[in-house]
Amino acid sequence: MPDTPRVPVGATYRVQVRPGFDLDTTAGLAGYLADLGVTHLYSAPLLTATPGSQHGYDVVDHRAVNPELGGEAARVRLVRALRAAGLGLVVDIVPNHAGVARPAANPAWWDVLRRGRDSAYARWFDIDWDRGRLLLPVLADTPDALDDLTIADGELRYHEHRFPIADGTGDGSPRQVHDRQHYELVSWRRGDRELTYRRFFAVADLAGLRVEDPEVFAATHAEILRWAAAGEVDGIRVDHPDGLRDPAGYLARLRAAAPQAWLLVEKILEYGEELPDWPVDGTTGYDALAAVGGLFVDGAAEADFTALDARLTGRHTSWQDLTHATKLEAATRLLAAELTRLAALAPELAPDSARAALAELAACFPVYRGYPPHGARHLAAARAEAGRRRPDLAPALDAVTRRLRDPDDELGVRFPQLSGAVMAKGVEDTAYYRWSRFVALNEVGGSPAHFGTPPAEFHRFAAARQVRWPAAMTTLSTHDTKRGEDVRARLAVLSELPGRWAERVTRWTAAAPLPDPAFAHLLWQTAVGAWPIERERLHAYAEKAAREASVATSWADPDPGFERAVHALVDRMYDDPELHAELTAFAAEITPAGWSNSLGQKLVQLAMPGVPDTYQGTELWDNSLVDPDNRRPVDFGVRREKLARLDAGARPAVDASGAAKLLVVSRTLRLRRDHPELFAGYRPVPAHGPAAAHVVAFDRGPSAAGLSAASGAGGGSRPAGAVAVATRLPLRLARAGGWRGTRLSLGGHTVTDVFTGRVYSGSELLLDDLLDTLPVALLAPADSVEAAA
């Protein structure tokens, strides 16, 4: 675990480089990003992906930059443009899997299909050859699907799908040729049950890579490491390390190969879980997202929302029981093929007993996967919970658990790959769409059962982060978040008016009922959080969310009747005059407090310990929902113009333009870039007075380092560097009469608010004065403010 970043990464800006927004277009952002205050462009994967891929996580050729992004020449131009603007580059890499949806686009996969076990690339993929031919789930789920096979240009064809023919096997009918191949084309339903290669989660188009093999690692990382060795890449973001056979070993090899790189892992930590002491600089920041967002949720409303959920759904829902059920479904249905492969490694047990025990342990595993030295503790917890739920499985659970404790046992090595996938599919991609108590908390890396983050808890989290992972990333939005940061910030306002929300949503769900009342509650919350939103976007979200919830409809078995009802409900939000007026009025009512929350959480995220990332476009208000909605094109022209007006002296109000958020982002990032010494420590700054609970403030100066924040107390009053001040629970604050003389201690020093330019001095600072224009402030010594303003 490093003490400091290996490169001077001050802040990153994530860009979804893709066909239609290629590397040359991205290079054109360099000047804007430098003006914004970031130090590094953080790019989506750049290697050759499946043709047409809009995300790049389906790499098909590790040897070259994606030609649809402009190829190697465009990458070089991007690096030059970034360097000319004083910026660095952080790239996203995908070691866990490769794209195989179009075999002809992936030379290694094509060769494996053609030559089978004899392929030089057979060791690249995690294939269980002992179970027979390589199953490819591409056929329609009909008994006569193979009748549609044809042969053309020396290839086997199934509609638009192309497959190679092994040497000497091309004579005869298409069906006869197919039966001689190293692969077997099967229906997608059979593939889900019997697939013979490891997938990314349940996505058959993404085949697992064996990067634990040094030769595979070298071949799949050569290009990225060449860039790093040439000084053209400053940081590397590792996608989904939990899917790897040996994440710790992989990261050690990567660190040795790129010793100077800022190295981050997309590791999802559960509530209270610590990142293992890997040779990395930290995570991509979902733990920070949860802690920061929770600051703006009123924990006192938990009982009200629990009661509302029970009233709307007609039942009491336990988060623990719900996630157990969804994880068990994921293990036994979505990941049935992986479960079968694991169960075969326990021949001492009857197949059904082995499957049941492994599935139950995975469903009860409290984190994504266990790592030494804490893995034994998590396994023991899973065994205890599994035994409580399934005492009939006790002998099988004991037998399996004994083997999982052995780090050299193949069953023990592979089980963590299953448990991580079960957590992701069962919780992130299913339970988050079924649990509708308060959807602002249903976020990747979050813990919906923990209703908000008290300030003292946040200060403990931030102080520990400063000590252990000061160079980890912080974020509020990514391409994987379920709702954009500003949607969640507005939804947090509902926790301040639970009674009013209960009255509204009860009226709406009665006027426009759905057969699944829990999903209806989720949909109404999402609509309120994102309103006004284009009709087609809400339709697309509603259909995806309903299928992910997999209650009344699903991806595997869509229910046309239920989905028509969902779409009809969305249409009523727009077409029913009374519903539309009420929804619009309620969203408008809570929007100002949502803006306050947005500015507060953004300042906290940008100023707290760690390297802050800004997801593309979120420097202005952003009402994005789950992907692909959050990958929509960004109007950078508008952002350039607004930033230019700010730099010309405009001081924006907190309004629909979003300029206030751009002010907070740009001025905070510039101060961090130009005066990193003001962000070298962490100390809570306490407030005193009747509204003290409504402010969160901390000092990032170097003299704050080493001071205890365990109790949330101040540890001294002298501001040592940048002091961030944010308003929380703004509606309750207004109802109580405002700040009413609440104050912060400054210790007699003179500071300037970076956002307003106002100068303050004296021993105490009244929040009525400091926060009368904006709900946030960033205080710094006057001589450090000029460059940021």
Side-chain angles (χ1 to χ4, degrees), residues 146-152 155-159 165 174-175:
L146 284 173
D147 292 345
D148 291 335
L149 288 176
T150 61
I151 295 176
E155 297 173 352
L156 195 62
R157 303 283 178 89
Y158 177 72
H159 299 296
I165 295 175
R175 183 67 176 268

Side-chain angles (χ1 to χ4, degrees), residues 348-474:
E348 68 274 19
L349 296 174
D352 287 348
S353 294
R355 287 175 59 86
L358 288 164
E360 193 65 45
L361 285 170
C364 294
F365 214 78
V367 296
Y368 277 70
R369 60 181 286 173
Y371 295 98
H374 304 299
R377 182 186 70 198
H378 298 315
L379 179 59
R383 169 61 185 89
E385 179 64 11
R388 184 185 72 82
R389 292 182 179 274
R390 292 292 305 273
D392 58 305
L393 286 177
L397 289 169
D398 286 339
V400 168
T401 302
R402 279 194 298 272
R403 292 194 53 190
L404 296 184
R405 291 194 187 107
D406 183 353
D408 298 321
D409 191 309
E410 183 70 7
L411 184 64
V413 171
R414 286 189 175 274
F415 177 78
Q417 293 176 295
L418 174 69
S419 70
V422 164
M423 178 72 84
K425 295 304 297 179
V427 179
E428 285 181 40
D429 293 344
T430 305
Y432 280 176
Y433 294 94
R434 293 187 189 179
W435 173 266
S436 58
R437 182 178 72 164
F438 186 66
V439 301
L441 300 175
N442 294 14
E443 196 47 86
V444 182
S447 180
H450 293 84
F451 208 91
T453 309
E457 181 180 330
F458 173 79
H459 287 312
R460 288 192 294 270
F461 170 84
R465 187 182 184 87
Q466 175 63 32
V467 173
R468 287 183 52 79
W469 300 103
M473 182 179 280
T474 68

